[in-house]
Amino acid sequence: MIPLSWYLGLSALLFTIGAVGVFIKRNAITIFLCIELMLNAVNLTFVALSSYFGDMGGQLFVFIVMTVAAAEAAVGLAIIISIFRNRESLNVDEADSLKL
Amino acid sequence: MEKALFIIFAVVSVAAALNILLQRNPLYSALSLVGTLIALSALYVMLRAQFIAAIQIVVYAGAIMVLFVFVIMLLNAPKEAPYIEKHKALRFLAIPFAGLLIAEAFYVIRLVKPIQMPASDDSAQAVGTTLSVGTKLFTDYLLPFEVTSVLILMAIVGAMVLARRGED
């Protein structure tokens, strides 16, 4: 039986990698991928706790988090396409004004 | 055996996650994220969440990542440009703030009380088969499920409005 703390540690590590990526990356799509990584790290926590506490609620929450991630990806990528059309660049440092 | 499997999949997921940061081409980053997703799905199977593991592959690695790859190829984005530092002074400000953040994290970790773990016999574990997830989803969690469908509808409309070419 694997201790619960292993899963929580792995999840924290993946979340940290995702957060570091959001800070250091400048390509908008890569930043988006790092956000997905953070969502997945949280999902791992949900599933691990759900399994160790014998409660199905955590797994259902993962289901909902995935739906939110899909919705977020659709809207976020649409925003990225629209920014790229106006600026010809995916560098977030160049997209520094709200006006298109 | 179980621990060995955990370590293998954990190493794969962390290595793929680090590769996301190391690659300069976003397409390679996206493929690395697929690797992380597949390793995590294996961990879900070990946690007896078979349905979530299948959904992870089908919906996440299959659908959401395809959307990402579509957009990356559609935009034909240039590789990440080398970084030009604009505010050099901020670099020295970063160190004390990072120290503060780490100190806060340790303070919070010390503050948290250990939780009472339930007995670790196998019968107490939740098994996430399609039947058990579906039963729970359409009885106790019906309202969140319906709200999620409204959210998806909003995302569809929002994505179409944002991505269409303006007629003006």
Side-chain angles (χ1 to χ4, degrees):
Chain A
M1 195 71 190
I2 300 162
L4 176 60
S5 54
W6 289 24
Y7 283 107
L8 298 184
L10 175 63
S11 164
L13 192 57
L14 288 176
F15 190 92
T16 313
I17 294 170
V20 168
V22 171
F23 286 131
I24 68 171
K25 283 291 185 179
R26 291 175 303 286
N27 187 317
I29 290 179
T30 318
I31 290 176
F32 233 69
L33 291 170
C34 290
I35 293 174
E36 297 288 330
L37 181 63
M38 289 198 283
L39 285 169
N40 269 284
V42 174
N43 279 353
L44 181 63
T45 309
F46 273 127
V47 174
L49 286 172
S50 154
S51 169
Y52 277 77
F53 283 88
D55 184 358
M56 285 297 296
Q59 293 187 16
L60 293 167
F61 214 94
V62 169
F63 192 77
I64 290 168
V65 168
M66 279 183 190
T67 328
V68 172
E72 175 232 330
V75 175
L77 289 171
I79 292 173
I80 288 175
I81 289 174
S82 142
I83 288 176
F84 186 79
R85 244 185 229 144
N86 284 294
R87 294 180 192 278
E88 293 293 319
S89 161
L90 285 176
N91 193 333
V92 285
D93 288 341
E94 284 170 29
D96 50 3
S97 66
L98 277 175
K99 202 174 149 220
L100 284 176
Chain B
M1 181 60 191
E2 213 178 351
K3 283 185 176 172
L5 280 175
F6 175 87
I7 289 166
I8 290 169
F9 290 122
V11 167
V12 169
S13 68
V14 170
L18 284 174
N19 199 33
I20 295 173
L21 304 188
L22 295 176
Q23 295 294 339
R24 292 211 165 273
N25 189 335
L27 191 59
Y28 296 153
S29 295
L31 291 178
S32 294
L33 185 61
V34 172
T36 309
L37 296 179
I38 290 169
L40 282 181
S41 139
L43 289 177
Y44 292 164
V45 173
M46 288 171 62
L47 286 166
R48 304 180 185 204
Q50 295 97 330
F51 179 71
I52 296 294
I55 290 290
Q56 172 96 348
I57 298 282
V58 173
V59 175
Y60 233 122
I64 299 182
M65 293 317 294
V66 166
L67 188 64
F68 271 92
V69 173
F70 262 158
V71 170
I72 292 168
M73 291 187 166
L74 178 74
L75 298 183
N76 196 13
K79 283 184 184 158
E80 198 165 310
Y83 183 48
I84 303 149
E85 205 163 7
K86 287 182 201 154
H87 310 284
K88 274 209 155 55
L90 285 180
R91 171 180 289 192
F92 300 104
L93 208 59
I95 296 162
F97 275 104
L100 191 69
L101 195 64
I102 291 168
E104 266 180 44
F106 273 103
Y107 177 70
V108 170
I109 287 169
R110 280 176 59 88
L111 213 66
V112 173
K113 292 185 180 65
I115 47 170
Q116 190 67 46
M117 284 301 295
S120 62
D121 58 329
D122 283 2
S123 60
Q125 285 199 331
V127 180
T129 57
T130 312
L131 177 67
S132 58
V133 171
T135 311
K136 204 83 166 149
L137 190 62
F138 293 116
T139 53
D140 294 351
Y141 290 83
L142 188 61
L143 182 65
F145 178 75
E146 296 291 346
V147 172
T148 313
S149 60
V150 176
L151 178 80
I152 294 212
L153 180 66
M154 280 156 58
I156 294 169
V157 175
M160 284 179 67
V161 169
L162 285 168
R164 109 194 130 162
R165 273 180 205 284
E167 293 100 68
D168 42 284

